[in-house]
């Protein structure tokens, strides 16, 4: 319905909002104006690309049952800011059978183009000394970041776990 308030304001109101009293059959019929076409807004194109350096181990090579540090320098080599924070998964993989011996995760913030962020933490491995292991770091394990290339999101460093004090 097209209505006019006591202060002279005019406008349209849905029939279910008002209660009509009296005869309305003789009122003139007015077609409402066309619904305006919304102006489209451009959706920004995300062209981020997260990658990083191979994991650095300290001490290197790690020693059985002794804590060591893993550090990775992650960089956005894309053209736009990454659209979300990302989770980075750190895993120690025993290469003898491919099993993950231990793991942890860390978060990184959104990164501008060319910006880097060093992330890492401690790990202790106490199985399969004098055998080959791999530190595997997966950037954006939850796939929260829109990227142009996810093929460069896995970083690895291989090492032989030293016996140290392990029997």
């Amino acid at each position: 319905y097209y209505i006019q308030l006591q202060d002279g304001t005019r406008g349209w109101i849905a029939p279910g909002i008002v209660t009509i009293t009296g005869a309305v059959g003789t009122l003139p019929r007015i077609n409402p104006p066309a619904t305006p076409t919304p102006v489209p807004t451009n959706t920004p194109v995300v062209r981020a690309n997260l990658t990083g350096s191979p994991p650095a181990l300290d001490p290197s090579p790690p020693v059985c049952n002794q804590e060591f540090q893993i550090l990775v320098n992650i960089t956005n080599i894309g053209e736009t800011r990454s659209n979300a924070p990302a989770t980075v998964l750190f895993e120690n993989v025993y290469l003898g059978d491919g099993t993950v011996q231990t793991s942890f995760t860390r978060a990184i913030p959104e990164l501008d183009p060319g910006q880097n962020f060093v992330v890492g933490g401690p790990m202790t491995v106490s199985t399969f000394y004098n055998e080959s292991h791999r530190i595997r770091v997966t950037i954006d394990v939850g796939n929260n970041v829109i990227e142009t290339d996810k093929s460069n999101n896995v970083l690895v460093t291989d090492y032989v776990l030293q016996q140290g004090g392990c029997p």
Side-chain angles (χ1 to χ4, degrees), residues 17-30:
I17 302 296
V18 294
T19 303
I20 303 297
T21 57
V24 292
T26 59
L27 295 175
R29 185 162 185 84
I30 301 172

Side-chain angles (χ1 to χ4, degrees), residues 9 13-14 33-34 36 50 61 75 86 95 129 149 155:
T9 303
I13 191 164
L50 301 179
T75 304
L95 294 181
Y129 61 82
D149 182 7
L155 314 166

Side-chain angles (χ1 to χ4, degrees), residues 84-98:
T87 300
V88 180
L89 173 63
F90 293 78
E91 298 172 295
N92 183 89
V93 179
Y94 169 55
L95 294 181
D97 63 7

Side-chain angles (χ1 to χ4, degrees), residues 1-3 10-12 27-33:
Y1 292 106
Y2 185 68
I3 63 169
R10 296 179 185 177
W12 295 92
L27 295 175
R29 185 162 185 84
I30 301 172
N31 289 326

